[in-house]
Amino acid sequence: MVMRTFLFVPGHIDSMLSKAPNVDADCIAFCLEDAVPAINKVEARVKVRKALDEGGFGNKNLFVRINSMDTGLTLLDLDAVACKNLSGFVYPMANNADDIRNFSAQLSLIEHQHGLEVGSFSIVVLIETPQAVINAYELAQASERVVALLFGCEDYMAAMESRYAENEMSLFVPRSNVAIAARAAGVEAIDTPYVNMDDYTGLKRFASTGRDLGMSGMLVMSPKQIPIIKECYSQSVEEVEIAESIVNASKLAARQGKGIVVVDGNFVSPPTVKQSKKLLERALLVKSFEEG
C-alpha cells in the first residue's frame, strides 16, 4: 500500500470534507476523534458516511480515525461508517497488543453485521504514548489487519515532558523505534507531522530524515505540504538508475564468479542488491498507484 502522504480531515467540517476528494494525498483519514468536539460526534459520523458513499476519491486509500474503546464510542463509530468504500481504520492511543486484538474482533463483528467479507478493514495503529513506542513491534504484529504504524508525537511529548529540540533530536529515538518495529513486522511506517506549516525548508529536512530512518511516509498537516513530502518519499530518477546498475552488476558478477564488486563507486554485495531490489519494487508500486 502506498502511504507517502496521510491527511486527517475533521469529520464535522463541511468545507474540508468537500475538498477532500481533490486533495492529492495518498491516504485520507476522516477523523471522528480528537479533531471533533463531543457535541459534534453524531454529526461527524453522518457526514463522514455521506462522504464515503458519494465517493469521488479515485484510488486514494480511505480510513476513519475512530474513538478508542475506553471512550465507549467505538462501536457507534464503526456501525455508522462501515462500508465497502472504506479501506480501514486508524486506532488511536493504542498501548499494547490486546488493544488491537480486541479492536480487530470488533471489526469482524461489524463486517459480519454489514454483510462485508471478514478481513475487509485494515488497521493503522497510532503510536502516541511512551508505552506504545516500547510496544511498537508487538502492536504491529497484533493482528493480520495491521498495515501500518503511525507515530503521533504530541501526546508522546506531553507524556514524556519533553521539548522540541534542534533538528527534532527529542523525537529521534521514538521515530527510529517506530520505523524499526514497522519494518521488522513488514508493515508501513508513517512519521509524525512537521508542525511548522509555513517552514517548507524545515519540512523537506524533516521528511528526508524520516525516509533516512526508514519511514515510508508521513502525516500531513496541510495540503500545501504534500508536494514536498511526496518528493522526499518517492524514488528519484537517480536512485532508480543507481539501483538498476547495482542489480545488473550483481548479475554480471555472479556470471564471473565474484561475490562483491564496485561499480561507478557503488558497493555491490548481497545487502546492497537486496536494498536496490526493494527500491525498484517500491518505485514500481508508486508508479502503478499514481497511474491509477
Side-chain angles (χ1 to χ4, degrees):
M1 187 177 290
V2 177
M3 293 181 150
R4 296 167 300 177
T5 49
F6 206 101
L7 177 70
F8 281 167
V9 176
H12 65 302
I13 301 179
D14 292 328
S15 60
M16 298 185 75
L17 289 169
S18 64
K19 293 176 182 176
N22 298 318
V23 173
D24 193 27
D26 298 335
C27 304
I28 290 178
F30 301 102
C31 186
L32 300 178
E33 196 221 10
D34 281 357
V36 180
I39 61 172
N40 298 112
K41 297 286 188 185
V42 174
E43 172 192 1
R45 293 186 192 113
V46 173
K47 289 182 176 180
V48 168
R49 178 56 186 266
K50 183 173 182 289
L52 289 168
D53 287 342
E54 290 177 348
F57 292 92
N59 64 339
K60 293 181 178 67
N61 302 301
L62 303 179
F63 296 85
V64 171
R65 178 165 71 165
I66 49 81
N67 293 277
S68 58
M69 286 185 288
D70 60 345
T71 66
L73 301 175
T74 309
L75 282 175
L76 293 173
D77 292 342
L78 295 178
D79 189 54
V81 303
C83 64
K84 60 182 178 60
N85 292 335
L86 192 59
S87 302
F89 295 89
V90 178
Y91 188 84
M93 300 299 286
N95 283 313
N96 55 60
D98 284 342
D99 292 340
I100 300 305
R101 282 192 283 265
N102 292 336
F103 180 56
S104 180
Q106 288 192 333
L107 291 183
S108 296
L109 172 64
I110 289 295
E111 288 162 343
H112 177 74
Q113 290 178 338
H114 286 258
L116 298 168
E117 183 179 351
V118 174
S120 296
F121 297 133
S122 59
I123 300 173
V124 173
V125 182
L126 194 45
I127 307 294
E128 301 179 271
T129 67
Q131 185 178 353
V133 170
I134 292 172
N135 294 332
Y137 180 66
E138 174 188 323
L139 286 161
Q141 289 201 309
S143 168
E144 292 183 354
R145 295 178 185 270
V146 176
V147 294
L149 299 182
L150 194 166
F151 178 46
C153 76
E154 296 297 331
D155 284 295
Y156 167 83
M157 292 182 71
M160 290 292 294
E161 300 182 38
S162 60
R163 303 180 300 180
Y164 280 106
E166 185 177 358
N167 294 331
E168 295 81 32
M169 284 305 298
S170 56
L171 298 178
F172 180 79
V173 170
R175 291 172 78 193
S176 298
N177 198 67
V178 170
I180 292 169
R183 296 297 186 177
V187 303
E188 299 297 298
I190 306 171
D191 205 357
T192 193
Y194 186 72
V195 296
N196 297 323
M197 290 195 293
D198 296 325
D199 179 11
Y200 297 111
T201 300
L203 171 64
K204 187 168 185 176
R205 172 187 51 74
F206 185 87
S208 296
T209 299
R211 187 178 169 197
D212 290 344
L213 292 174
M215 294 289 185
S216 46
M218 67 180 285
L219 199 57
V220 178
M221 292 290 290
S222 163
K224 293 181 180 179
Q225 294 181 325
I226 291 175
I228 291 175
I229 296 172
K230 277 194 172 182
E231 178 186 355
C232 292
Y233 279 100
S234 297
Q235 294 68 39
S236 69
V237 173
E238 182 181 10
E239 285 178 312
V240 170
E241 289 177 348
I242 292 172
E244 288 176 339
S245 71
I246 289 174
V247 172
N248 291 333
S250 71
K251 295 176 182 177
L252 178 60
R255 289 196 295 269
Q256 297 175 342
K258 298 178 181 179
I260 297 175
V261 296
V262 177
V263 177
D264 296 329
N266 296 303
F267 195 58
V268 181
S269 66
T272 60
V273 172
K274 183 177 181 180
Q275 185 177 28
S276 295
K277 288 180 177 179
K278 284 188 173 182
L279 186 144
L280 294 174
E281 289 171 1
R282 177 69 66 165
L284 285 175
L285 181 64
V286 169
K287 182 180 179 181
S288 176
F289 177 79
E290 290 186 335
E291 291 176 349

